Amino acid sequence: MSRLPHLELGFKNLLAAGYEKTSEQTGFSSVKGSYNCIAWAAHDPHNWWWPSEDGYWPSWIKREDTVFCFIKTFRWLGYRVCESSNQQYGFEKVALYAIHRSHRPTLIPNTLNELNTDWQPTHMARQLPDGTWTSKCGWAEDITHYTLDALDSYGRAFGSINKYGCAVLYMRRFCVIAWMIRLIQHAHRKMKSIKNTISEAFRKDSV
Amino acid sequence: MLKDLQENRGFWFTALYEITGIRPFDPRDAGNSKKMIEAWVKWGKLKKYI
C-alpha cells in the first residue's frame, strides 16, 4: 500500500480505518485543472467547487458557506437527504462533513436548522458500489477510505490540510437519476469545450 | 476478535473501538448488534484481517 503521511498526520483515524490512494495530487484551486472534494463528489473533476467568490458553484444557487447551500446544490444533482450512510441497493450516496464553529467534537444536532447555523461544511465523500467511500482531500490525492470516520478530525488546520469535523449529513440519489445527471454533466462539459475552441479560433483569426 | 465476532457474535465492540479508534458502522446503528457485527466483519475483510 502506498502511504500518504501528509494525510495520516491530518487524519488520525485514517491508517487504522484503512485507505488506498487512487490518484496523484492535483494542486490548489489556482492550478488549472485541479478539483476538490465537492467536485469529486459531484462527478465533476474539472472545477474547484466551493461557494466562495473564486470557486465554481452553480450560478443559480446563492453562494453561502452553510449546510443548506450544499443541500440545495446537491438537490439539483438529484440527491435527497437520507437517514443513514448504509449502502442501499439502487442508490448512490454522498456524505457531507462539517465542523462545529468551536472546532471541537460536538454532538450532531437532530435538526437541519441547528446544523445550518452552528456548523461549517468542510468536505464531501461519495460512496462507491462496494460500500467504501472516495474522497478528494483538497489539493492532495483522491483516496478510497473504508469508513467515514477515517476523516474525522478537529481543531485548526494542520498545515494545508483542513480539519473536517465529521460526517453530519447523508444524501442519496436513485441510480437511474445518477446516470441521467452524469450524461447531462458530460454534454454540458462537451458544449463548453466546443464553445471555448470556437471562441479561441475566432480570437486567433482577428489577431 | 473479529473472527470471534463473526463466528460466535462475541461482544468485542468496545475492545475493537479502543484498539482501532474507529466505528465502521453508521452512528444510527449503534446498539444494533447485528448491523454492528456486519460492519466490523466487512471492515475486517477489507483490511484483510479475516
Side-chain angles (χ1 to χ4, degrees), chain A residues 162-180:
Chain A
N162 285 326
K163 298 293 183 182
Y164 290 166
C166 60
V168 294
L169 185 97
Y170 314 106
M171 296 183 83
R172 68 175 191 182
R173 69 179 175 186
F174 189 47
C175 60
V176 178
I177 305 276
W179 296 329
M180 281 163 56

Side-chain angles (χ1 to χ4, degrees), chain A residues 82-94:
Chain A
C82 65
E83 290 286 301
S84 83
S85 61
N86 289 334
Q87 202 180 4
Q88 272 182 289
Y89 185 72
F91 288 95
E92 206 176 69
K93 288 194 177 185
V94 290

Side-chain angles (χ1 to χ4, degrees), chain A residues 15-207:
Chain A
L15 184 60
Y19 71 98
E20 285 159 34
K21 173 183 158 183
T22 51
S23 85
E24 295 304 324
Q25 295 177 4
T26 59
F28 287 99
S29 54
S30 52
V31 178
K32 199 173 177 243
S34 68
Y35 58 95
N36 65 344
C37 54
I38 314 299
W40 186 238
H43 283 280
D44 176 23
H46 301 274
N47 292 299
W48 189 281
W49 285 51
W50 201 260
S52 58
E53 274 179 27
D54 53 349
Y56 169 86
W57 206 250
S59 54
W60 56 93
I61 295 166
K62 196 178 166 201
R63 294 172 184 233
E64 285 172 338
D65 201 6
T66 62
V67 169
F68 276 169
C69 178
F70 282 75
I71 294 175
K72 260 187 236 164
T73 305
F74 273 74
R75 277 182 68 87
W76 270 95
L77 296 174
Y79 287 94
R80 296 291 178 269
V81 173
C82 65
E83 290 286 301
S84 83
S85 61
N86 289 334
Q87 202 180 4
Q88 272 182 289
Y89 185 72
F91 288 95
E92 206 176 69
K93 288 194 177 185
V94 290
L96 174 69
Y97 286 73
I99 195 162
H100 188 263
R101 307 249 175 224
S102 67
H103 285 251
R104 294 197 192 101
T106 310
L107 206 63
I108 301 166
N110 291 324
T111 65
L112 283 179
N113 278 333
E114 270 179 86
L115 254 185
N116 196 50
T117 50
D118 301 334
W119 295 66
Q120 192 176 5
T122 52
H123 176 70
M124 283 188 90
R126 173 160 48 85
Q127 196 170 42
L128 294 170
D130 65 355
T132 59
W133 297 83
T134 179
S135 280
K136 170 78 166 68
C137 301
W139 55 270
E141 294 84 352
D142 301 345
I143 55 166
T144 295
H145 43 108
Y146 300 160
T147 68
L148 274 176
D149 64 2
L151 299 182
D152 283 9
S153 46
Y154 301 93
R156 300 287 160 187
F158 179 83
S160 50
I161 296 283
N162 285 326
K163 298 293 183 182
Y164 290 166
C166 60
V168 294
L169 185 97
Y170 314 106
M171 296 183 83
R172 68 175 191 182
R173 69 179 175 186
F174 189 47
C175 60
V176 178
I177 305 276
W179 296 329
M180 281 163 56
I181 302 267
R182 261 185 260 166
L183 197 71
I184 293 167
Q185 282 178 308
H186 180 72
H188 180 250
R189 271 199 297 274
K190 280 273 170 215
M191 291 286 284
K192 216 169 145 185
S193 104
I194 291 168
K195 209 172 131 190
N196 284 346
T197 314
I198 292 170
S199 63
E200 209 153 288
F202 269 111
R203 209 173 49 226
K204 271 182 191 165
D205 272 355
S206 62
V207 170

